[in-house]
């Protein structure tokens, strides 16, 4: 019995040592492969993420009242038509860029969604405050003035968060 233990104990120690070495080697190789895969995917994903940041920055800029009102012929429109046009533009821009949410963090996307909702609410609230006899030009002036005098706008806040996140890629 003691003779068997003399052979079994060293064999067990060698087996255990071999298992430990092989386990560490396998783990190290797995980590190397994962790191290499991540590095290769970053080469492809980083440009896509940067384009997404650019597109979302454009979305936030294009949905400010000043930008949306630039090309409108306000003399031929009513305040209700201007309001409808602004709401349509906001929704259209948002829908066009909704797929970009997969490239940004949940926090930034929430801020972009919040900016959209607050801009829609703002456009609607200013339209409701306007007297019925007001012109589209009066509505546009009131909208732009009120939007810029509220301090940091939701679009500005979301744009800053987007810039901060984009800086982490650079």
């Amino acid at each position: 019995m003691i003779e068997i233990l003399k052979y079994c104990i060293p064999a067990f120690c060698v087996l255990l040592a071999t298992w430990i070495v092989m386990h560490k080697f396998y783990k190290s190789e797995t980590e190397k492969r994962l790191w290499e895969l991540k590095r290769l995917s970053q080469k492809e994903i980083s440009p896509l993420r940067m384009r997404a940041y650019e597109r979302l920055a454009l979305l936030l800029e294009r949905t400010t009242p000043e930008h949306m009102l630039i090309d409108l012929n306000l003399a031929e429109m009513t305040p209700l038509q201007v309001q409808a046009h602004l709401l349509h533009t906001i929704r259209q821009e948002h829908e066009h860029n909704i797929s970009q949410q997969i490239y940004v963090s949940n926090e930034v996307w929430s801020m972009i969604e919040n900016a959209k909702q607050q801009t829609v609410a703002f456009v609607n609230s200013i339209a409701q405050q306007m007297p019925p006899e007001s012109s589209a030009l009066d509505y546009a002036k009131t909208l732009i003035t009120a939007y810029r005098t509220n301090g940091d706008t939701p679009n500005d806040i979301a744009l800053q968060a987007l810039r901060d996140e984009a800086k982490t890629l650079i």
Side-chain angles (χ1 to χ4, degrees), residues 30-45:
T30 303
E31 287 175 1
K32 282 181 190 177
R33 278 190 232 129
L34 286 174
W35 182 82
E36 186 65 24
L37 249 162
K38 187 176 181 179
R39 189 180 64 79
L40 290 173
S41 69
Q42 285 299 324
K43 282 183 180 180
E44 294 177 23
I45 291 177

Side-chain angles (χ1 to χ4, degrees), residues 21-37:
V21 169
M22 292 302 292
H23 180 72
K24 285 187 179 189
F25 175 76
Y26 177 74
K27 188 176 179 181
S28 171
E29 285 299 311
T30 303
E31 287 175 1
K32 282 181 190 177
R33 278 190 232 129
L34 286 174
W35 182 82
E36 186 65 24
L37 249 162

Side-chain angles (χ1 to χ4, degrees), residues 73-136:
N73 187 357
L74 296 172
E76 298 176 5
M77 297 177 82
T78 66
L80 189 59
Q81 290 172 325
V82 174
Q83 177 191 12
H85 175 78
L86 296 177
L87 296 176
H88 175 74
T89 301
I90 293 167
R91 287 186 185 101
Q92 185 178 15
E93 285 289 337
H94 187 267
E95 287 173 6
H96 181 71
N97 291 293
I98 200 162
S99 65
Q100 303 307 312
Q101 68 182 298
I102 63 172
Y103 296 108
V104 298
S105 68
N106 290 337
E107 294 81 23
V108 168
W109 183 251
S110 293
M111 292 177 117
I112 291 169
E113 285 284 309
N114 184 42
K116 174 200 167 214
Q117 292 168 357
Q118 286 189 14
T119 304
V120 166
F122 182 76
V123 166
N124 288 333
S125 72
I126 296 296
Q128 290 173 351
Q129 294 172 11
M130 296 298 293
E133 68 279 352
S134 63
S135 69

Side-chain angles (χ1 to χ4, degrees), residues 38 42 45-47 49-50 53 103-105 107-108 159-170:
K38 187 176 181 179
Q42 285 299 324
I45 291 177
S46 290
R49 286 185 75 189
M50 286 307 288
Y53 290 130
Y103 296 108
V104 298
S105 68
E107 294 81 23
V108 168
L159 187 57
Q160 186 57 49
L162 190 64
R163 284 184 189 132
D164 292 342
E165 188 171 301
K167 285 179 186 176
T168 63
L169 283 181
I170 299 173

